[in-house]
Structures are given as C-alpha cells and as structure tokens.
Amino acid sequence: MGNRAAESGSGSAAVALCGVQFVDVLGVTVVVTALPRMLADLGATPAAGTVVVTAYAMFFGGLLMVASRIGDRLGHRRVVLAALTLFAAASVLGALAGSVWMLASARALQGAAAAASVPSALRLLTTVVPEGPVRRRAVAGWSAAGATAGASGFFVGGVLTEVVSWRAVFWLNIVLAAGLAAGIVGTIPRDHSDASEDRIGWWSSLLLTGGAMGVVAGTTMLGEGRSRALAVAVTVLGLLAAAGFVLLERRLRRPLVARAAWRSSGLRWGAFGSFFVTATTSSSVIVATLYLQGKLGLTPLRAAMLLVSFSILAIVGSTLSPRLVAVLGWSHTVSAGLGVVAVGTLVFVVWPQVTGIGLAAAISGLGIGITSVAANDMGTTVDVHLKGTAAGVLNTAAQLGAAVGVAAIGLIATTTQPRVAWLVVAALAAGAAVATASSRVGGR
C-alpha cells in the first residue's frame, strides 16, 4: 500500500510538472495562427509581427541558462511558483494590450517566466519522482507534453481566435497557470536553496538577451520603414552586445557556460543544428501564416488546420530520428533532417497554394523532428556533471535561432516577397546540412 501511495503521489507531481512544460511550449506556437488578427486589431504592420513572435523566444533563450542557477540558489519549487505567477500576470497584460508594443512586452515577460520555470520544473521532476520505471515514464511524459503542446498550439490559437478572440489565448494562459500552481503546491514538497551558488551570471545573460533583442528590433525597424540609420544603429548595438557576451564569458572564472562543455564537438555541432533548424522552420511557418491569411484569405482556423501538419510530422520525425542515428550517426542524421527542411521549404517556393503549403509544412515538420532529436542526443554526449549545462545550451540555441531567424527572414519577406524569403530559408537549411555533414561527429 505504501509503495502504491508513493507512486500515486509522484505520479500527480509528474503530471503537474509536465503541465509546466506543456504551457511553456504552447506559448511558443499558440500565437502563430492568431498573429494576423492581432496585428489587424492593433493597427500594426506585418513587420511588427516579428517582435511579437520573437519576444517570447528571445527572453526564453536568453535567460534559460541563468534561470537554472536561480533555481539552485532560491529553491526550484519556489522559482516555479514565482514563474507561474509572472506568466499569469504577463498574460493579463497581453489580454488587455492596446498596442503591438504592449503585446510584445507581454510576450517578453511570458518568455522570461518560461525560462525560469522549465529548468526548475525538470530538476524537480528528476528528484521528486523516484528512480526506475516511474521516472522513465515521467521523463517520457515530459517530452510528450512538449510535443503535444507544439502540435496543438497552432490549432488552439486558431480555434480561440476564430470562435472567441485572439485575447482568449491569453485568458486561457491565466487559467492554466493558476491550475498548475495549485497542483504544484499540493504535490511538490518544499526544497532547499543552495547558498553556495554565489554567482548567478546576470551580466552574461543580459548581454546574450540584449544581443538578440538588438538584432530583432533593428531588423523589425527596417521592415517597418523607420529611420534606416537608427535601425542599423540598434542592430549594431545588438551585435556588440553579443560580442560582449563572448568576451565576458572568456574572462570569467565561472562563466555561464562551462568551458569544459564547449570542448565537446558534439555540443558545438548539436547547438549549431538546433539553432539552424529552428531559425529556418520557425521563419518559414510564420511567413506561411501571414501569407495564408493575408494573401490567400484563409481564416485563422483554416490556417491552423493546414499548419498543424507541421507539428504532427515533427512527432513522426522525432520517433524516426533514433533509428537514423543508429544507421547514419549523429552528424549525418542532423544533416539529413536539415536537408528535409530545405526540400520542404522549396515546396513553399514552387507551390504557394493551400495544398502546397500544407505539404511543405508537413515535410518541414518531419525535418525538424529528425534534426532536433539527433542534435539534442549529439549535444548531450558530455560528462554527467555537464549534462545540465549542455541541455541549457541546446535549448538556448533553439530559442535564439527561432528569434533571429524570424526577424531576418521576416524582413526579407516584407521588403521583397514570401517566395524570396522561402528561397533564402531553403539555401540556409541546405548550407547548414552540408556544414553538419562535414563535422564528422559519429553516433552511438
């Protein structure tokens, strides 16, 4: 009876913690199909959509590494609850937004909350749930929660926008955050803080986030037709912040990313693959969303029905990837996945109609599934004490890839035409595929 009760308690805890993963990943995709309606209601240009989409990814990726240390310092349960509170407050701001910049600010705060909650929730999952089959099921549930959220985000955003309003997307977040907080309070015991974690790494994290913000904001200003000199200046400041991050990390005795981790070629190339696969797929899907609703006149719900094929095939690619790694090795599997993304994006170029876009999204989804799993597997082939750092680097690369990719490709799409933007994406994916194939990082 005691074992069953313990398993039941740990199972409830796992459900609550996997729910955190679900809500945070849902936040990435749920606004995509709602984006054109948001911009129209707020009187914003399509170029302004770039900052709305990328704000979440910028802060999620830029603060992810430092957030894991905050959890060690203050206690992971406390950090998750505080992050859910911030997520709910940011959702209120988004629901009441009267301008696109208020909406982008809400998305940025949501991204910061996601960055704080994800590493702490995962740490709690692997400590509260006992080792053995129960923990393996819990970790599998964590991955499944992320995949399900990614697959359902397009559909949920489209349905709520069509049936109620795009603002309902944010009201839903409030309800979900409140329910998760109640579940965590009821199932997760208090954990202890670690005062020995005397350096959190704020400056490195701020420079990393500031670098992404500068690049995204600068390209967005160019797309909106604002002062070219100011836009270039903001972009240059972003690049300088990114360079400052690299220099600071080299000088620090305890850098945000341990130097031993970067010595792993698997981590370097895994981060490379994670960055480029999200940079290419996120940008092409955003361009497709705006094209479907703006050019082809589809409703948010119909656009969501088409684009959900992207996430469904991503799940298929994720299950296929380990088998490919066993045959091809890591680098060639990542290369193959990026090659599939390039093919899918070319379908966007040659067949920019409803059926063609649905097919292109599906092929691209298959590619991201293959690439992401292989890149994560390759990147976490480090010593046990560095695996947490490696996971943070890979997730950071993926989120910043999405932010920078959407900003750059969005600028091309608004200043030229969607086909040109998709062609550039295909070239980037193909180039990254060739580069990864030459890395010679093997497999298990």
Side-chain angles (χ1 to χ4, degrees):
M1 291 291 292
N3 288 337
R4 289 184 180 179
E7 286 190 10
S8 176
S10 63
S12 299
V15 169
L17 293 168
C18 288
V20 174
Q21 165 80 335
F22 180 89
V23 170
D24 289 335
V25 175
L26 186 73
V28 177
T29 58
V30 74
V31 303
V32 172
T33 46
L35 184 61
R37 190 70 60 84
M38 290 176 174
L39 298 177
D41 287 353
L42 297 175
T45 65
T50 298
V51 73
V52 174
V53 173
T54 58
Y56 191 100
M58 277 191 302
F59 280 78
F60 194 173
L63 298 175
L64 194 60
M65 293 296 297
V66 73
S68 61
R69 293 190 177 180
I70 295 174
D72 291 335
R73 180 73 179 271
L74 301 180
H76 295 289
R77 179 179 183 269
R78 184 181 302 168
V79 168
V80 171
L81 291 173
L84 288 172
T85 302
L86 176 60
F87 194 87
S91 298
V92 173
L93 180 63
L96 301 177
S99 70
V100 70
W101 292 106
M102 185 181 296
L103 182 62
S105 298
R107 293 283 294 161
L109 289 173
Q110 284 184 322
S117 62
V118 164
S120 286
L122 182 57
R123 184 69 64 86
L124 287 170
L125 185 72
T126 56
T127 54
V128 173
V129 179
E131 291 186 13
V134 177
R135 182 180 294 180
R136 287 195 292 271
R137 288 196 297 269
V139 173
W142 174 275
S143 300
T148 304
S152 60
F154 295 118
F155 185 74
V156 170
V159 169
L160 289 177
T161 302
E162 188 75 16
V163 176
V164 188
S165 164
W166 62 264
R167 297 181 188 274
V169 170
F170 292 96
W171 293 121
L172 174 64
N173 285 333
I174 298 168
V175 175
L176 292 174
L180 286 173
I184 287 170
V185 169
T187 61
I188 306 296
R190 295 179 183 272
D191 59 338
H192 300 288
S193 59
D194 183 4
S196 65
E197 187 67 38
D198 57 354
R199 182 185 177 276
I200 292 180
W202 289 111
W203 285 111
S204 292
S205 189
L206 288 173
L207 285 171
L208 179 60
T209 308
M213 287 178 63
V215 172
V216 170
T219 53
T220 301
M221 292 166 67
L222 284 171
E224 291 182 326
R226 299 191 181 187
S227 169
R228 185 173 297 274
L230 179 60
V232 171
V234 171
T235 304
V236 170
L237 286 174
L239 294 173
L240 289 175
F245 165 76
V246 174
L247 293 175
L248 180 62
E249 285 286 281
R250 288 181 175 178
R251 295 181 58 185
L252 290 174
R253 184 172 59 88
R254 292 187 61 198
L256 197 61
V257 181
R259 294 185 180 88
W262 282 122
R263 297 190 189 106
S264 166
S265 60
L267 177 57
R268 293 196 303 272
W269 282 104
F272 178 90
S274 295
F275 180 92
F276 274 96
V277 76
T278 56
T280 52
T281 55
S282 296
S283 57
S284 61
V285 168
I286 292 297
V287 172
T289 301
L290 296 172
Y291 183 82
L292 284 169
Q293 297 184 49
K295 181 71 173 178
L296 301 184
L298 270 64
T299 64
L301 180 56
R302 285 196 64 196
M305 298 282 288
L306 271 181
L307 295 178
V308 77
S309 64
F310 174 86
S311 295
I312 293 173
L313 266 292
I315 297 173
V316 174
S318 297
T319 60
L320 180 62
S321 187
R323 300 177 186 179
L324 292 176
V325 169
V327 176
L328 303 176
W330 285 313
S331 60
H332 285 94
T333 301
V334 172
S335 176
L338 288 166
V340 172
V341 171
V343 171
T345 311
L346 284 176
V347 176
F348 280 124
V349 177
V350 301
W351 195 2
Q353 300 301 320
V354 171
T355 304
I357 289 175
L359 176 62
I363 296 172
S364 298
L366 182 67
I368 193 176
I370 293 171
T371 304
S372 296
V373 171
N376 284 328
D377 193 27
M378 178 165 61
T380 51
T381 56
V382 293
D383 291 340
V384 173
H385 68 284
L386 294 174
K387 284 189 179 292
T389 297
V393 169
L394 293 165
N395 280 296
T396 297
Q399 294 299 327
L400 294 182
V404 174
V406 170
I409 301 304
L411 173 63
I412 295 171
T414 54
T415 54
T416 57
Q417 56 177 309
R419 279 185 168 181
V420 175
W422 284 323
L423 193 60
V424 172
V425 169
L428 286 173
V434 171
T436 309
S438 66
S439 67
R440 298 179 181 178
V441 180
R444 295 185 186 281

